[in-house]
């Protein structure tokens, strides 16, 4: 077990709705990253938060947004859901020093989102 | 720009025989390279990482990988496959200037099957 927990484990939404996914980081970690993993593909980097500020973003539209809280837990929000948003969403926490990218990321088991 | 290519989408070996999972990368900066394993319905687990130290990296469960800059490769190997090694394996490259976003790129994955 990595100590990273995600909720819910499964979620079904309809097109156009909004969704919030949650992640609780491993104790002592100050950084959280979110990934989208479509079926049969590798995870795609959505964005990363370091000490409550966005520390980088992948090629995802603005309707994908996030928050990191003072206790370093995090939320991923997706507005105006589309069918292609159906995927496994993974959260990973790490402890970055000076925004280094070399640190190990610890992944949660993910939230499987189905958009109908 | 950076990218990572996993050369085989599926590898099948017999139990007790060697495993070779191939990964090539490109990066504008000195990269950090990782291998992660994903078992069905589980989160990603780190096998090993390379961060500019020794070029031969040993990981968990008997896996190792060698960083070859001249070949831009980071192939994963194991001398003797075990049934429990059956899973999806991802090669990951992470690089970028400290002031920018963490550029984290996953390969498309290699599914490893083990024959009894």
């Amino acid at each position: 077990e990595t100590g990273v927990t995600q909720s819910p484990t499964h979620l079904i939404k309809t097109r156009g709705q909004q969704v919030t996914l949650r992640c609780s980081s491993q104790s002592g970690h100050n950084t959280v990253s979110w990934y989208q993993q479509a079926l049969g593909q590798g995870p795609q980097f959505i964005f990363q938060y370091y000490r409550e500020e966005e520390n980088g973003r992948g090629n995802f539209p603005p309707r994908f947004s996030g928050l990191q809280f003072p206790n370093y837990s995090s939320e991923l929000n997706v507005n105006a859901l589309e069918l292609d948003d159906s995927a496994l969403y993974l959260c990973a926490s790490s402890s970055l020093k000076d925004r280094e990218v070399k640190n190990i990321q610890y992944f949660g088991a993910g939230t499987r989102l189905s958009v109908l | 720009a950076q990218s990572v290519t996993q050369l085989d989408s599926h590898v099948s070996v017999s139990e007790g025989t060697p495993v070779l999972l191939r990964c090539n990368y490109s990066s504008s900066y000195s990269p950090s390279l990782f291998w992660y394993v994903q078992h069905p319905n589980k989160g990603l687990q780190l096998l090993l990482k390379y961060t500019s130290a020794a070029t031969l990296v040993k990981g968990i469960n008997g896996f190792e990988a060698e960083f070859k800059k001249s070949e831009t490769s980071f192939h994963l190997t194991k001398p003797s496959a075990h049934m429990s090694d059956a899973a999806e394996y991802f090669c990951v490259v992470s690089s970028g200037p400290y002031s920018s976003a963490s550029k984290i790129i996953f390969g498309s994955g290699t599914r490893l099957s083990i024959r009894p």
Side-chain angles (χ1 to χ4, degrees):
Chain A
E1 297 298 325
T2 63
V4 178
T5 57
Q6 293 185 242
S7 63
T9 54
H10 294 85
L11 200 52
I12 299 175
K13 291 286 189 178
T14 56
R15 194 170 48 183
Q17 285 188 312
Q18 178 268 343
V19 69
T20 298
L21 310 182
R22 295 179 173 81
C23 174
S24 176
S25 301
Q26 187 174 96
S27 178
H29 284 180
N30 57 14
T31 302
V32 64
S33 302
W34 285 92
Y35 296 84
Q36 180 195 68
Q37 186 177 18
L39 197 62
Q41 297 182 22
Q44 302 290 315
F45 176 67
I46 302 175
F47 44 57
Q48 183 182 83
Y49 279 81
Y50 170 68
R51 293 186 176 178
E52 302 177 57
E53 292 187 0
E54 188 175 289
N55 185 41
R57 190 179 184 89
N59 189 27
F60 280 82
R63 60 189 185 84
F64 284 79
S65 62
L67 281 173
Q68 187 182 31
F69 300 100
N71 66 355
Y72 300 132
S73 65
S74 175
E75 287 182 355
L76 164 66
N77 298 289
V78 186
N79 293 322
L81 283 167
E82 301 176 0
L83 298 179
D84 286 347
D85 296 333
S86 296
L88 179 68
Y89 288 85
L90 296 164
C91 163
S93 76
S94 56
S95 181
L96 287 193
K97 178 182 178 181
D98 298 328
R99 299 182 178 225
E100 287 182 344
V101 300
K102 299 178 179 179
N103 295 66
I104 297 168
Q105 296 190 79
Y106 296 86
F107 284 82
T111 294
R112 187 162 297 282
L113 172 65
S114 298
V115 182
L116 306 179
Chain B
Q2 63 183 37
S3 66
V4 60
T5 302
Q6 291 185 243
L7 299 169
D8 308 291
S9 60
H10 183 213
V11 169
S12 179
V13 303
S14 297
E15 189 175 20
T17 63
V19 175
L20 170 64
L21 305 184
R22 299 182 294 167
C23 173
N24 285 107
Y25 72 92
S26 67
S27 177
S28 303
Y29 301 92
S30 296
S32 295
L33 294 158
F34 307 79
W35 276 98
Y36 281 85
V37 61
Q38 187 176 34
H39 288 93
N41 300 316
K42 296 274 184 74
L44 291 149
Q45 180 184 19
L46 180 72
L47 284 177
L48 48 80
K49 70 172 183 176
Y50 165 78
T51 57
S52 76
T55 56
L56 182 60
V57 181
K58 294 188 182 297
I60 62 172
N61 300 336
F63 285 95
E64 62 182 37
E66 185 172 8
F67 174 71
K68 292 186 177 180
K69 186 175 181 179
S70 61
E71 298 176 11
T72 62
S73 69
F74 190 58
H75 300 335
L76 180 71
T77 61
K78 181 173 180 178
S80 177
H82 190 272
M83 294 300 291
S84 62
D85 294 329
E88 190 85 19
Y89 291 79
F90 294 97
C91 181
V92 181
V93 61
S94 177
S95 68
Y98 290 159
S99 60
S100 78
S102 300
K103 301 295 186 183
I104 304 165
I105 307 293
F106 275 73
S108 56
T110 298
R111 182 164 61 90
L112 177 62
S113 300
I114 312 296
R115 301 187 300 271

